[in-house]
Amino acid sequence: MLYVSTTATLVLFGVATFILKPLFDYLYLKYRYRKLPSVGLPFIGVVWDLLRIPNEDHIEWFTKLQEKFKGNVYIMWLGMQPYVNIQKPHHMEVLLTSTVNIKKSSIYNIIIPWLGDGLLTLTGKKWHHHRRLLTPAFHFRVLEQFTETMHEKADVFNECLKEQVSSNPKEPVDIFSFASRFTLDVICKTAMGIDMDAQRGSMNLYTKSVNQMSRFVVNRYLRPWYASDFIYSKTEDGKQSQAAISVMREYSSKVIKERLDERRKLKSSKDEDKEDEFGIKQRNKAFLDLLLEASENDKNPLSNDELRNEVDTFMFAGHDTTATAISFTLLLLGNHLDIQKKVHEELQTVFNNDVDKPTRAADLSQLKYLDRVIKETLRLYPSAPSFLRTLVEDTIFDGHTICKGSVIIINAYDMHRDPKVWENPTVFDPDRFLPENVRSRHPYAYIPFSAGPRNCIGQKFAMLELKIALTAILRKWRVKSDTLPENLKLLHSIILRCNKPIKVYFTPID
């Protein structure tokens, strides 16, 4: 009898834990948020809406919600979990300036099997430690050394475009596929010091796996029923993603081991004049080398797994995000020939009409109009359209107290298109970023790289890569596109994507 009684007690405890507690939490939060507008059916929330609406219509659906609630704070219930939507610049300032509310939402757990505990997924003291170690690797003096690689790979980008256009002169180019291989080449060389030559079509198993994982992450994010690791592992995508992760981990672990061995040999060598301030040969310097140096000099050095996680994070964050930005920039210029003409005129002035003149850092700093074009592209098409935080402490938005543990949706895409923040928001106008116009705007009205203590650590790297790639392309080509931006169908994911290829016509400049 005692055994039966104990078993019954455990069963009741299990029921209370897994059924009653979530129910009580849900009812409590429903009461706490009763004064806030909300959307979603009882208990299931908006799950049915998200399942019945095609993925390419999700952004339009979210935008209509923002318009319905006029950009004010509102609750979107996903099952019994409240998601608090914010869209106004002053909302962003409250959250993004916080040094406490830096915890990412559990939605990012889908990339943990790939990235592990890296800068993108970490929080708390461990995140602060990794961020401190990584920051020197993105100093402008360090970024300068990466320009040689970026220029080299941008030249290959142009050669590949030339071959494609020569073979099919009347056909538009799927620009994202070219841009993605370019950024993959750049990130492999700058992150690990490995020349993959992905643009030449010789993608090895590692680069193929990186490409695959970028696609798997998007697909999984768009399918809520794949949130469970157990369910996902039984799907074909789940099995392939696990195989890709195994390939990448084995490869990056091998590279880290080789780098560590190389560093030990260099340290034991007496020929120190061939080494730079980081203890490695200048021509071999990569993000991994800089991270190894910073870690070795720290009282809490990173483990090999932590090093690998950060390299993998850099690979993920610096790959499709930049390729997407290149693609959207060329698409917009291909639709706005007057703006493209101004870009070409600036390039001709800076480079004195010499399309083969090497690009220097000083030249890039003079490209003020191209800089504004890139920023305006990222306003309309931020590579990360939204990002999610889980509150660590109660936070007040417009007089409403949002409970700790609630998930906040930071909606950059819709804020960047809010007519109360931006005049004629859907118009492509680079002059929005003239200094006088920037000064008159709220500092948190534009957040393509997030903002505050958890902003994108690689934003200067990304802007440098964008300028070098676009400069290389637009010095030699005019672009035209039949695809109108208003007809694009966008996929709302961790990274903004189109549901169909972005096609652009390229015409060589005489």
Side-chain angles (χ1 to χ4, degrees):
M1 288 294 292
L2 179 62
Y3 173 78
V4 173
S5 177
T6 303
T7 302
T9 301
L10 289 173
V11 169
L12 287 173
F13 179 77
V15 170
T17 301
F18 294 106
I19 297 178
L20 296 181
K21 186 181 183 304
L23 178 60
F24 287 144
D25 290 344
Y26 168 70
L27 294 174
Y28 170 73
L29 289 172
K30 285 290 266 187
Y31 176 77
R32 284 292 303 266
Y33 295 148
R34 67 192 184 280
K35 293 183 179 179
L36 277 169
S38 65
V39 60
L41 297 171
F43 303 108
I44 66 168
V46 297
V47 170
W48 172 245
D49 293 296
L50 294 177
L51 290 176
R52 68 183 178 83
I53 297 171
N55 292 332
E56 60 268 24
D57 292 332
H58 279 182
I59 282 188
E60 183 181 354
W61 182 80
F62 278 113
T63 298
K64 286 180 178 178
L65 281 181
Q66 299 292 345
E67 292 170 352
K68 175 182 177 180
F69 296 113
K70 300 179 180 178
N72 295 316
V73 178
Y74 74 94
I75 308 292
M76 182 180 71
W77 292 91
L78 189 60
M80 294 191 291
Q81 171 70 47
Y83 283 73
V84 184
N85 285 259
I86 62 174
Q87 185 188 318
K88 297 298 184 183
H90 66 277
H91 298 154
M92 306 297 179
E93 185 173 17
V94 169
L95 185 64
L96 297 178
T97 56
S98 171
T99 57
V100 177
N101 287 319
I102 60 171
K103 183 179 179 181
K104 292 293 185 78
S105 161
S106 59
I107 192 69
Y108 294 93
N109 289 348
I110 66 172
I111 56 178
I112 287 180
W114 177 12
L115 307 183
D117 290 330
L119 200 62
L120 191 63
T121 54
L122 283 171
T123 192
K125 291 182 180 180
K126 199 169 183 181
W127 174 84
H128 282 287
H129 177 230
H130 283 227
R131 177 84 180 204
R132 178 175 56 79
L133 287 178
L134 288 165
T135 296
F138 294 94
H139 190 277
F140 75 92
R141 289 181 181 175
V142 175
L143 292 181
E144 284 180 358
Q145 74 175 24
F146 292 145
T147 59
E148 182 180 349
T149 293
M150 293 177 184
H151 286 305
E152 175 192 334
K153 301 306 179 185
D155 288 341
V156 177
F157 193 164
N158 260 330
E159 290 169 9
C160 292
L161 280 175
K162 184 177 180 181
E163 291 170 7
Q164 177 69 18
V165 173
S166 297
S167 61
N168 296 286
K170 295 184 179 180
E171 292 295 319
V173 174
D174 174 4
I175 188 58
F176 180 79
S177 65
F178 282 81
S180 181
R181 285 174 176 256
F182 159 72
T183 57
L184 186 56
D185 258 357
V186 170
I187 211 71
C188 285
K189 188 71 179 287
T190 56
M192 297 187 294
I194 305 297
D195 203 337
M196 294 294 190
D197 197 21
Q199 297 183 86
R200 292 294 188 187
S202 57
M203 293 176 72
N204 62 18
L205 195 55
Y206 175 80
T207 51
K208 286 179 181 177
S209 297
V210 173
N211 259 346
Q212 281 181 317
M213 279 307 300
S214 296
R215 177 171 57 83
F216 290 144
V217 166
V218 171
N219 289 347
R220 189 176 179 186
Y221 183 92
L222 293 170
R223 292 162 174 78
W225 55 93
Y226 282 174
S228 164
D229 287 337
F230 177 78
I231 293 174
Y232 187 63
S233 67
K234 305 303 179 185
T235 67
E236 188 59 32
D237 269 13
K239 293 173 184 176
Q240 290 184 28
S241 70
Q242 191 54 54
I245 289 169
S246 297
V247 168
M248 291 186 294
R249 285 189 172 177
E250 182 180 349
Y251 189 89
S252 52
S253 295
K254 176 174 174 286
V255 171
I256 289 170
K257 183 181 182 302
E258 289 174 352
R259 276 291 195 274
L260 286 168
D261 291 343
E262 182 181 345
R263 289 183 63 79
R264 292 189 191 100
K265 290 177 183 177
L266 284 169
K267 284 185 177 181
S268 63
S269 171
K270 295 181 180 180
D271 195 8
E272 295 182 0
D273 60 334
K274 290 186 179 180
E275 300 173 15
D276 67 3
E277 61 194 303
F278 295 97
I280 57 175
K281 293 181 181 179
Q282 182 73 20
R283 63 183 175 83
N284 289 332
K285 186 185 295 184
F287 169 78
L288 172 58
D289 299 310
L290 301 172
L291 185 55
L292 285 169
E293 173 68 17
S295 177
E296 288 171 2
N297 292 332
D298 193 77
K299 63 180 181 180
N300 296 312
L302 302 181
S303 67
N304 283 6
D305 283 347
E306 288 174 320
L307 289 166
R308 188 197 67 231
N309 291 341
E310 294 303 351
V311 170
D312 289 344
T313 296
F314 194 39
M315 294 292 299
F316 168 73
H319 176 207
D320 277 0
T321 50
T322 310
T324 296
I326 291 171
S327 304
F328 280 123
T329 303
L330 293 175
L331 171 73
L332 287 169
L333 290 176
N335 274 272
H336 298 84
L337 302 186
D338 54 333
I339 294 175
Q340 184 181 164
K341 182 180 179 183
K342 291 180 182 179
V343 172
H344 281 132
E345 288 172 350
E346 179 180 66
L347 290 170
Q348 289 165 1
T349 299
V350 170
F351 294 100
N352 197 27
N353 290 318
D354 185 352
V355 296
D356 295 314
K357 178 184 175 183
T359 306
R360 304 167 302 165
D363 298 323
L364 293 175
S365 66
Q366 294 182 60
L367 299 174
K368 305 294 186 184
Y369 192 71
L370 178 61
D371 183 73
R372 298 202 296 274
V373 165
I374 293 171
K375 289 176 178 176
E376 174 69 346
T377 300
L378 291 174
R379 179 187 71 84
L380 287 167
Y381 302 103
S383 295
S386 63
F387 25 101
L388 287 73
R389 299 271 177 90
T390 299
L391 292 184
V392 176
E393 62 181 12
D394 289 359
T395 304
I396 297 174
F397 295 99
D398 290 345
H400 300 285
T401 299
I402 307 301
C403 306
K404 69 177 181 179
S406 295
V407 177
I408 307 292
I409 299 179
I410 303 165
N411 194 332
Y413 179 88
D414 280 320
M415 183 180 72
H416 287 177
R417 292 166 177 256
D418 187 342
K420 294 180 180 178
V421 180
W422 305 86
E423 186 177 354
N424 299 320
T426 59
V427 174
F428 180 57
D429 179 11
D431 286 344
R432 296 179 198 274
F433 291 92
L434 284 167
E436 58 270 26
N437 293 331
V438 172
R439 282 193 295 269
S440 65
R441 274 196 303 273
H442 193 288
Y444 285 81
Y446 178 70
I447 52 169
F449 297 102
S450 187
R454 190 136 198 180
N455 67 345
C456 173
I457 195 173
Q459 59 183 291
K460 291 181 180 178
F461 179 97
M463 288 298 291
L464 180 64
E465 186 177 6
L466 282 168
K467 285 182 182 179
I468 288 175
L470 292 167
T471 297
I473 293 167
L474 294 168
R475 286 175 68 187
K476 297 196 173 185
W477 303 93
R478 290 186 177 87
V479 295
K480 181 81 170 63
S481 179
D482 293 335
T483 304
L484 297 175
E486 55 266 32
N487 292 335
L488 290 178
K489 288 287 189 178
L490 303 174
L491 299 178
H492 197 291
S493 180
I494 292 177
I495 299 170
L496 190 69
R497 299 286 288 270
C498 277
N499 72 322
K500 293 181 179 179
I502 295 176
K503 297 293 186 73
V504 177
Y505 292 92
F506 286 81
T507 303
I509 293 176
D510 299 329

